[in-house]
Structures are given as C-alpha cells and as structure tokens.
Amino acid sequence: MQYWLMKSEPDEASIDDLAAATGQTLPWVGVRNYQARNFMRDTMQIGDLAFFYHSSCAQPGIAGICRICSESYPDETQFAAVNPYFDPKSAPDNPRWWLRDVAYECKTRLLSLAELRACPELAGMRLLARGNRLSIMPVSSAEWQFITGTLLGLEQFKSK
C-alpha cells in the first residue's frame, strides 16, 4: 500500500462533497500537471489511502482521508471545449490526462498547513518543500503514521 496527499479547492470539491456524493465516490478531475497525472495513471493502486487536502482557501490543510477506488481512466473534461479543464491538444483516441475515482473514508479535524510545518517529524514531507505546487504527491509511511496516529489520533488508519 502507498499513501498520498491529494489537493482540491473546497469550492470545487471538498471532503463534505465527497461524503455527500452518490456512493461516496468522485472522479478526481482536472489534474493538469504531468507529474501528478503520472502518479494517478501509473503509480496509484486501488486501495491506496490519501489525505484529502483543502487548498487555495482561507484555511488550507488536511480535511479528511479518501481511498483510491478505480483504475486510471481518461479525464473526460479534457475533451469538452466548454469545460475549464479543456485541452485542445488532447484527443479521445490519444488522451493526455487521466484520473482515478476516490472514495470517502472519513472527515478529520482540519490539520492546518501551519500545524504540519511545526512538526519536526514532517520536515522532509513533500507538501512542506519550498516551491512545491503539486496537486498530488506521495506521502511516506512514516509521515502517514505520524499524521494519522499522533496528530489526528486515527488508530484505525495506522495499520492499513
């Protein structure tokens, strides 16, 4: 099992939206960074767990946990000219952008970016690196264990 952090702007898709969605699953649409796309397309596996991170908002931070629940498949938003994620260089027979579906696991207290930065145990976390703007990034097992266990007290996720 691998662990991830997936950023979403809460006015577009929040942890509450995921909890309220049919079947508590949503497609993770709109990724337009090649490295983040490659993580979704090539590296993630069904069953992997991810922190659901609210970004570009008044209080950015980890807001919940989700699970990867589908194989990768083309992001249909790239083909619709009326969609903000439209990519005129992408074609249905040769898609550039891929996604995975995520399933709701739980909502957590908001674990703020400032709180994460204050922990020496997380000094090497990719999220906290200067200039990091990736919307999807791996989280090490040690980082996952520290955040779920020590900071959030979610023992049920430590053994997964």
Side-chain angles (χ1 to χ4, degrees):
M1 167 165 318
Q2 294 185 44
Y3 302 105
W4 304 93
L5 183 139
M6 301 174 77
K7 292 180 182 177
S8 178
E9 296 178 14
D11 60 346
E12 191 164 316
S14 70
I15 191 69
D16 292 329
D17 294 333
L18 179 58
T22 302
Q24 294 189 313
T25 63
L26 289 173
W28 203 267
V29 299
V31 171
R32 295 299 183 265
N33 171 281
Y34 287 105
Q35 188 174 11
R37 182 240 12 222
N38 292 348
F39 286 145
M40 281 202 299
R41 187 188 65 191
D42 305 330
T43 312
M44 284 181 170
Q45 300 293 316
I46 293 174
D48 286 355
L49 293 171
F51 291 120
F52 194 115
Y53 185 92
H54 287 175
S55 68
S56 299
C57 58
Q59 291 189 304
I62 293 170
I65 295 175
C66 59
R67 178 179 30 85
I68 308 307
C69 65
S70 77
E71 295 294 340
S72 62
Y73 61 96
D75 181 343
E76 293 296 320
T77 64
Q78 68 192 304
F79 308 125
V82 296
N83 194 289
Y85 297 118
F86 174 64
D87 183 346
K89 295 180 180 177
S90 190
D93 62 342
N94 188 23
R96 283 183 178 202
W97 306 110
W98 296 74
L99 60 77
R100 294 211 182 223
D101 293 342
V102 299
Y104 179 83
E105 286 287 326
C106 72
K107 182 175 180 174
T108 65
R109 71 175 179 85
L110 184 70
L111 187 53
S112 73
L113 184 59
E115 191 174 350
L116 293 168
R117 286 193 191 285
C119 298
E121 297 87 348
L122 300 176
M125 190 173 188
R126 237 173 146 161
L127 172 69
L128 307 178
R130 252 187 175 16
N132 179 53
R133 302 209 19 97
L134 275 180
S135 61
I136 295 173
M137 63 197 74
V139 172
S140 75
S141 181
E143 293 161 348
W144 182 268
Q145 300 300 328
F146 180 76
I147 292 170
T148 57
T150 304
L151 297 179
L152 294 173
L154 299 171
E155 296 300 317
Q156 70 269 32
F157 289 103
K158 286 186 72 177
S159 61
K160 286 194 177 187

